[in-house]
Amino acid sequence: QHDHLVDVRDEMHVLELPCHSRRSKHKSAAQAEKEFKEDPLGSCPVLWVRIDPDVEWAKSMDFRQPHYAWMQALKMERDVVGQYEACQGLTNAAEDIFINALSDTLSNGKLYYRVRTMAAAALATSYVESDQTAGLNKVLSFFRRRFMYESGAMKQNNFAQITDYFLQRGIVAGVAGVIAKEAMEIAGEFLLSVLNSNDNAGNVYDDDYFVADMLTCTARMCLRLESNDTVDRCYQEILRYLAVSELVPAQNGIILGAATNALAELAVAKRKISTEGNASFRNEVVDTLLEVISGVASNTPFYESRKGSLRALMRLESGSLGILKMVLSLADGHVEGSKPTNPASSSRLRRAALREILRASQNDAQVRLGLR
């Protein structure tokens, strides 16, 4: 390992690092280049490169190097930042050797959980030409071994080990990021099964944020899949969690906010599918959102759930003046039957409402805002 100190004074700086290596006297330049292409790991004297390994610069950086270099960094780096960057660099890797390296990282319980969740996210997006689900299958296989029964149902949540908690959340988010069409269908079924069979009955810790992640990720996957059956199944799951949240309110209303956003995602997904019955489905979703909003305004002061409700409505009905007024009424806590809210919270929510309205108006020049 060699450190090179570089004096950077200009906005753009080009640097060439010396590489002291000797080519065998019996090899020509063409032969050496051919060997490098066939076996870069054994031929290149530079295994990997890191920029600012001590994290001393406040910077935004896009650094690229070959996948084999990232794999070497993942295997040989000893600090967490280097391992995390290596997992990021291996995103969309398209060879079995890189997929196996990420799989080993995910399974290694000695590594920091953020490195393992990043490995899961990178693995889910990796595939080879002959198998678009190669990386995703590795992730799902690990999750099923660790957190599911052979029947496919989820084991009871046990967050006594904080690593398991963050692994579950990270894997769900990573699976939702798949890019191959064939893999998306498998990912959608997996997310629905996890959402359906999640069991927190025997857990001493709540799973509110885990459920919120599942709702958000499943709805986004439905938006990408554009499948009527998947949308309908996800809709029923969201309604179930909404009913549960009314009986047992989640911390800070996080599940309610995620569920309302998920409903908006489903309505948008349904709109993209040109089949009969989509208009009635959309109206049903809007009615459900309005019911949720009236309940949110009257029963809970939680900022996240109220913000989620108004964001969902704005996404569906950005051109409706009545909806815009209701959004601001929700922000101010002026919905009929609502309880007085904290002025600071109301001001914060009103700013969020105005941001949503401005975002909608930028997308639709015909929207006229009756704010006064």
Side-chain angles (χ1 to χ4, degrees):
Q1 180 177 344
H2 301 281
D3 293 333
H4 295 269
L5 300 180
V6 180
D7 185 17
V8 179
R9 298 180 181 274
D10 303 322
E11 292 184 2
M12 181 176 294
H13 186 84
V14 179
L15 173 70
E16 294 183 0
L17 297 178
C19 176
H20 302 288
S21 63
R22 295 181 180 179
R23 188 174 71 242
S24 173
K25 295 180 179 179
H26 304 290
K27 293 181 182 178
S28 63
Q31 185 179 1
E33 183 178 356
K34 180 181 178 181
E35 289 183 0
F36 173 75
K37 290 181 178 179
E38 293 176 351
D39 182 19
L41 291 178
S43 304
C44 181
V46 179
L47 297 181
W48 76 93
V49 175
R50 284 190 65 193
I51 297 178
D52 187 25
D54 296 325
V55 196
E56 295 176 338
W57 297 351
K59 64 186 183 302
S60 176
M61 180 180 63
D62 180 17
F63 172 58
R64 302 177 186 180
Q65 60 182 332
H67 279 144
Y68 70 82
W70 287 122
M71 187 179 73
Q72 285 295 315
L74 181 59
K75 288 184 175 181
M76 302 180 68
E77 277 287 1
R78 290 295 175 264
D79 70 283
V80 170
V81 176
Q83 294 168 351
Y84 187 87
E85 290 175 348
C87 290
Q88 284 182 315
L90 286 173
T91 301
N92 299 331
E95 292 186 30
D96 287 329
I97 186 173
F98 305 132
I99 291 175
N100 291 334
L102 287 170
S103 179
D104 292 341
T105 301
L106 175 60
S107 303
N108 190 347
K110 296 180 180 180
L111 296 178
Y112 183 49
Y113 73 86
R114 288 286 301 276
V115 175
R116 298 172 70 190
T117 55
M118 187 65 239
L123 196 55
T125 61
S126 302
Y127 60 91
V128 293
E129 291 185 5
S130 59
D131 184 7
Q132 292 189 345
T133 63
L136 178 63
N137 286 336
K138 296 276 189 182
V139 178
L140 299 188
S141 177
F142 171 82
F143 190 93
R144 286 166 179 152
R145 287 197 313 270
R146 191 72 173 269
F147 304 114
M148 302 180 80
Y149 296 111
E150 292 183 1
S151 62
M154 286 279 291
K155 297 178 181 178
Q156 281 194 343
N157 292 332
N158 181 7
F159 298 153
Q161 294 291 332
I162 194 170
T163 298
D164 288 344
Y165 168 69
F166 283 109
L167 268 180
Q168 284 182 246
R169 290 185 62 186
I171 289 175
V172 166
V175 168
V178 297
I179 54 179
K181 181 65 176 178
E182 184 179 339
M184 282 196 291
E185 296 175 359
I186 297 175
E189 288 296 325
F190 167 77
L191 291 172
L192 279 171
S193 68
V194 172
L195 190 63
N196 177 264
S197 60
N198 180 58
D199 183 4
N200 203 54
N203 192 10
V204 297
Y205 302 97
D206 70 61
D207 64 343
D208 297 343
Y209 284 91
F210 178 49
V211 171
D213 286 349
M214 288 192 294
L215 290 170
T216 301
C217 292
T218 307
R220 288 177 179 172
M221 183 57 66
C222 290
L223 181 60
R224 297 169 63 193
L225 280 174
E226 301 182 16
S227 166
N228 262 322
D229 178 62
T230 306
V231 169
D232 292 338
R233 290 165 59 194
C234 186
Y235 179 59
Q236 295 303 319
E237 290 298 328
I238 293 172
L239 292 182
R240 180 170 69 87
Y241 277 100
L242 279 175
V244 172
S245 67
E246 289 182 5
L247 296 174
V248 186
Q251 179 185 14
N252 294 331
I254 187 68
I255 292 180
L256 194 56
T260 50
N261 271 316
L263 283 175
E265 295 276 4
L266 292 188
V268 173
K270 202 76 169 179
R271 185 187 302 168
K272 294 173 66 176
I273 306 171
S274 56
T275 57
E276 296 181 1
N278 290 345
S280 61
F281 178 86
R282 178 174 170 278
N283 293 334
E284 185 178 348
V285 169
V286 172
D287 291 341
T288 303
L289 284 174
L290 291 175
E291 291 177 7
V292 170
I293 282 180
S294 61
V296 166
S298 60
N299 297 324
T300 175
F302 291 140
Y303 171 75
E304 288 298 330
S305 58
R306 299 175 72 196
K307 186 177 75 171
S309 300
L310 69 87
R311 179 176 294 169
L313 263 185
M314 282 301 304
R315 182 164 187 181
L316 287 178
E317 297 288 339
S318 60
S320 170
L321 184 60
I323 293 296
L324 297 182
K325 289 181 177 179
M326 177 170 284
V327 165
L328 291 179
S329 296
L330 171 66
D332 291 335
H334 293 159
V335 176
E336 183 179 355
S338 65
K339 299 178 182 179
T341 57
N342 184 292
S345 175
S346 178
S347 175
R348 182 184 177 196
L349 193 66
R350 184 177 178 84
R351 289 197 299 271
L354 291 173
R355 281 197 299 269
E356 294 299 324
I357 292 173
L358 288 174
R359 185 179 293 115
S361 66
Q362 290 172 355
N363 296 334
D364 185 359
Q366 302 301 320
V367 175
R368 296 181 180 181
L369 306 178
L371 300 181
R372 295 184 180 179

